[in-house]
Amino acid sequence: CEVTRSKHKKQTTMKRTLLIALCLFPLLSAWAQLTVAIENPTGIQRSELLAIDAGQLGVKPRTNMVVRDAFGIEQLTQWTHDGKLLMSVYVRPHGKTTYKIQQGMPAMVERSWVSGRHYPERLDDIAFENDRIGFRLYGPELQRRGERGFGHDVWVKRTTELVLDELYRNDPRILFHLDYGKALDCYGVGPTLGCGTPCMIRDGKIVYPWCYKTYRILDKGPLRFSVQVDFPATADGITEHRILSLDKGSNFCEAVVWYDGVNQPTDIAAGFAIRPVQPDGVVVGTDFVHYADPTVDPDRHQYQIYVAMLFPDVHVTITQQENHALGILKNYTDGRFHYLFGAAWSEFDVRSQDEWHLRVQGVLQAKKNPLVVTVR
């Protein structure tokens, strides 16, 4: 009798469990596959990285996810350090498309589109690149030797391959500054802001930030590289912090800059150097400035490097002084200063300054009119 009652109780428990599972099945099915509807509000083709917050997807950051496009083809993804799922999306002008997202193990990454690291073998450089362009920051060892390299350097490329490690493995005196078909360093920095470097303005003059003190790599790819660099405190106790992010397929690096210890309103800025030999190459708008740089050895190189700064969501005063173009943010006290800086090479994907102007306008339009995302 006891055996019969136990068997009956077990069967009843199993039935209840099955009933609960059947009731929850539609909810589980809906949760297991999400549809991400994406609408392009602009009249330009959108091919960019879309970042969706983990909370919007209803999952914890770094949950294994599989993303498929309208053909069912799996797309490359990446979780960022701040809990966002990155995915490459393509939407035609004023178009709509959908992607499917499921929990599951994504396919093995066959290649990364970005890379970067600290190079202690080259005076503490931090260098990073994507499939279009590369950038470099100078480090503490260079500063200890007394060499003045204040700004962001630019690496130009004519390949979508990641090549910085190859260049650093070889003798930099041979490969860095000469064109052997893949990439080279022919952009001049020295005692300038280089390309898109932030600075403080004191008594109307640029205060050059020199080299970083510490660094932390936040995102390693395959779609985005991000690094945070922190700088020594100034004599009056102000400390600069900078996060730089470079995405697959972009000529532009996103900069987020903030300062600790600012006790009174202070002007800050982002700037790039203007070579005196070609001052007429500067084009200024209300929220951008771009320039055709003639390289460090123009008579022999015969190239142009197109540089730009974009300010899509902050009001700055754009001016030229001390052989620099500056976007000045007035009366800063706290908060984060966000802008983009970038470059392209006449020997690769942008052949003239007119083309560069169109790219600048397209990026600005995209930043000001983000894709409309609905998760179902």
Side-chain angles (χ1 to χ4, degrees):
C1 185
E2 289 295 328
V3 172
T4 302
R5 280 198 295 269
S6 176
K7 184 178 180 181
H8 177 73
K9 184 177 180 181
K10 186 176 181 180
Q11 289 175 341
T12 302
T13 302
M14 290 177 64
K15 289 179 180 178
R16 288 175 178 170
T17 303
L18 180 60
L19 181 61
I20 292 171
L22 289 172
C23 291
L24 289 177
F25 180 75
L27 297 177
L28 290 171
S29 298
W31 173 81
Q33 177 169 287
L34 301 174
T35 298
V36 179
I38 303 170
E39 183 176 354
N40 179 1
T42 69
I44 59 174
Q45 174 68 29
R46 303 291 286 272
S47 303
E48 60 196 62
L49 290 189
L50 179 66
I52 305 180
D53 190 86
Q56 193 175 359
L57 298 173
V59 299
K60 294 181 179 180
R62 303 197 179 278
T63 300
N64 287 325
M65 308 293 282
V66 176
V67 176
R68 298 185 185 277
D69 67 11
F71 291 98
I73 300 173
E74 184 175 346
Q75 302 297 297
L76 188 61
T77 59
Q78 175 190 336
W79 281 107
T80 64
H81 72 280
D82 52 353
K84 293 179 172 58
L85 183 68
L86 287 182
M87 48 189 278
S88 291
V89 297
Y90 312 91
V91 196
R92 58 188 172 82
H94 297 297
K96 298 179 181 179
T97 189
T98 59
Y99 288 76
K100 302 291 185 182
I101 300 181
Q102 291 179 303
Q103 290 193 34
M105 185 61 67
M108 184 178 296
V109 176
E110 295 183 358
R111 67 160 289 182
S112 182
W113 294 89
V114 297
S115 70
R117 69 176 178 91
H118 171 236
Y119 288 89
E121 65 267 38
R122 225 306 298 190
L123 304 179
D124 288 329
D125 283 358
I126 291 177
F128 52 95
E129 65 179 315
N130 64 3
D131 50 320
R132 290 182 184 268
I133 199 73
F135 298 98
R136 169 167 60 164
L137 286 78
Y138 299 109
E141 180 58 28
L142 180 135
Q143 183 169 339
R144 277 191 290 269
R145 297 190 182 195
E147 185 175 341
R148 296 193 302 164
F150 301 134
H152 302 145
D153 194 12
V154 175
W155 294 89
V156 293
K157 301 174 59 174
R158 61 158 56 87
T159 175
T160 60
E161 299 174 18
L162 303 178
V163 298
L164 286 185
D165 273 351
E166 177 184 340
L167 295 181
Y168 274 98
R169 276 196 303 269
N170 293 281
D171 187 342
R173 291 171 299 177
I174 298 174
L175 288 184
F176 274 25
H177 303 293
L178 299 178
D179 182 9
Y180 284 95
K182 289 186 178 180
L184 77 155
D185 173 21
C186 57
Y187 180 78
V189 180
T192 75
L193 293 176
C195 179
T197 306
C199 64
M200 304 190 75
I201 304 293
R202 296 273 180 85
D203 299 323
K205 299 293 184 180
I206 297 171
V207 179
Y208 294 94
W210 219 338
C211 299
Y212 72 88
K213 180 180 180 181
T214 60
Y215 77 95
R216 183 162 60 101
I217 293 177
L218 305 176
D219 298 304
K220 297 181 180 180
L223 296 173
R224 173 177 293 171
F225 175 87
S226 299
V227 61
Q228 178 173 331
V229 284
D230 306 295
F231 290 76
T234 61
D236 50 357
I238 297 176
T239 305
E240 180 196 330
H241 309 278
R242 195 184 304 175
I243 294 177
L244 305 176
S245 300
L246 183 64
D247 287 355
K248 167 185 176 288
S250 178
N251 292 90
F252 290 90
C253 187
E254 295 213 21
V256 178
V257 181
W258 69 100
Y259 295 86
D260 295 332
V262 178
N263 297 319
Q264 59 184 4
T266 301
D267 291 352
I268 62 174
F272 60 67
I274 300 172
R275 316 299 166 189
V277 296
Q278 197 175 9
D280 295 334
V282 183
V283 178
V284 178
T286 58
D287 50 8
F288 72 89
V289 54
H290 67 74
Y291 168 62
D293 187 277
T295 77
V296 292
D297 194 352
D299 291 337
R300 290 199 292 175
H301 281 309
Q302 295 296 317
Y303 305 137
Q304 285 188 318
I305 300 174
Y306 308 110
V307 298
M309 295 184 299
L310 316 182
F311 305 93
D313 53 13
V314 63
H315 176 71
V316 297
T317 300
I318 297 177
T319 185
Q320 296 180 44
Q321 64 181 67
E322 301 177 63
N323 290 326
H324 282 81
L326 297 174
I328 301 175
L329 178 64
K330 300 284 188 178
N331 299 317
Y332 171 89
T333 53
D334 57 16
R336 300 202 167 193
F337 177 31
H338 170 254
Y339 64 94
L340 294 89
F341 65 91
W345 189 24
S346 60
E347 293 299 297
F348 189 37
D349 62 332
V350 174
R351 293 162 295 181
S352 68
Q353 192 172 12
D354 287 342
E355 287 188 18
W356 184 232
H357 182 78
L358 292 175
R359 185 157 299 182
V360 164
Q361 293 300 313
V363 173
L364 273 172
Q365 189 175 352
K367 290 296 182 183
K368 292 182 177 185
N369 300 276
L371 296 171
V372 179
V373 179
T374 304
V375 178
R376 298 195 296 270

